[in-house]
Amino acid sequence: MSIRFEVNGKTVDVEVEPRMTLADCLRHQLRLTGTHVACEHGVCGACTIIVDGDAIRACLMLAVQADGAKVVTIEGLSNDETLTPLQSAFRKHHALQCGFCTPGMITTAHALLSEEPDADADRIREVLSGNLCRCTGYVSIVEAVLEARAAYRKPHRGTPG
Ligand code: FES
Ligand code: FES
């Protein structure tokens, strides 16, 4: 099937099997391998991306369902020039070790802070509770997201990541 959607600001046309997940489409056809895949059944959050403003699990969505959507992956939340506020905060607070869960943590946190820049620690824990990390522990991740909130409060800024 032919589908067209927007990924990180660019329109893409892709031929996919009807049963292909959006995660596999992003990774294998569009080479956006920052979206990680682990459990493949919606439990770990590693594959979290943003579709039309909402954080979703790319392993639970078919690529054909993305037809016409606006998709943002972890690649769309970074740039080559500087670290984004979430990236800086994760580095400062040592909020990653192996990094496998990190793209999902950052996309989830970005979607949250874009809507709720004043989210408190409880709210951040609640929203990140669907993202599993097997090595860092969650305290430093929550601290990093708390610190990044300031960047999301500034009016008229671009797209922080
Ligand atoms: S790979 Fe999608 S939730 Fe685990
Ligand atoms: S940093 Fe290794 S799984 Fe989270």
Side-chain angles (χ1 to χ4, degrees):
M1 300 179 73
S2 298
I3 57 171
R4 171 178 288 187
F5 57 105
E6 188 181 302
V7 185
N8 302 332
K10 283 188 3 196
T11 300
V12 294
D13 292 288
V14 203
E15 283 289 326
V16 293
E17 294 291 330
R19 286 182 302 166
M20 177 176 266
T21 66
L22 183 54
D24 284 345
C25 175
L26 291 168
R27 288 178 56 82
H28 302 308
Q29 294 198 242
L30 298 173
R31 301 288 173 205
L32 292 168
T33 53
T35 298
H36 291 169
V37 171
C39 72
E40 296 190 74
H41 61 272
V43 173
C44 73
C47 66
T48 305
I49 59 171
I50 300 169
V51 177
D52 294 333
D54 295 324
I56 67 103
R57 302 195 164 203
C59 72
L60 293 184
M61 184 167 173
L62 295 172
V64 292
Q65 293 175 298
D67 193 36
K70 280 190 185 0
V71 172
V72 178
T73 68
I74 188 66
E75 288 89 348
L77 295 182
S78 61
N79 60 63
D80 293 335
E81 311 294 313
T82 53
L83 292 180
T84 63
L86 274 167
Q87 287 175 325
S88 299
F90 268 61
R91 184 168 78 169
K92 176 178 169 187
H93 291 275
H94 307 291
L96 64 148
Q97 288 185 47
C98 79
F100 193 85
C101 68
T102 311
M105 293 287 180
I106 287 189
T107 48
T108 303
H110 175 77
L112 170 66
L113 296 184
S114 297
E115 290 294 315
E116 301 176 44
D118 295 316
D120 63 11
D122 284 347
R123 175 69 177 142
I124 291 167
R125 276 194 203 96
E126 179 189 5
V127 171
L128 286 179
S129 65
N131 290 68
L132 305 184
C133 176
R134 298 193 71 173
C135 42
T136 301
Y138 299 97
V139 171
S140 54
I141 292 171
V142 172
E143 284 173 352
V145 178
L146 281 168
E147 172 151 338
R149 293 180 306 176
Y152 287 79
R153 292 189 188 121
K154 292 177 191 161
H156 310 305
R157 71 188 314 280
T159 303

